[in-house]
Amino acid sequence: MYVCVCHAISDKKIMKLTQEHNLADIRGIREITPLGSQCGKCIRQAKVIIEQTVVNRYQKAS
């Protein structure tokens, strides 16, 4: 599913980048991609996806 329609950034891409670059917040994704730089409607959903990915990472590590 596309999270950022303006830049064609999907939830899978956000999850992949979060895992590959060991990111924990929206700032990290925004440094790598143009997410949220157009209309900004995607920021809230992207934050939720990043948080879920981080939680899953720590649960798997435990």
Side-chain angles (χ1 to χ4, degrees):
M1 158 184 87
Y2 283 111
V3 175
C4 181
V5 177
C6 299
H7 297 290
I9 300 171
S10 69
D11 57 340
K12 291 179 182 179
K13 183 168 186 171
I14 293 170
M15 287 185 275
K16 182 179 177 184
L17 290 172
T18 300
Q19 292 169 347
E20 287 178 353
H21 297 277
N22 199 27
L23 304 174
D25 60 18
I26 195 76
R27 276 189 226 125
I29 292 290
R30 293 190 73 190
E31 288 176 6
I32 298 170
T33 68
L35 181 104
S37 64
Q38 195 80 19
C39 73
K41 292 182 180 180
C42 57
I43 296 294
R44 185 179 300 155
Q45 184 62 36
K47 285 181 180 180
V48 170
I49 293 167
I50 293 166
E51 289 171 6
Q52 289 173 345
T53 304
V54 171
V55 166
N56 290 340
R57 182 181 352 160
Y58 289 119
Q59 286 177 345
K60 288 180 183 178
S62 297

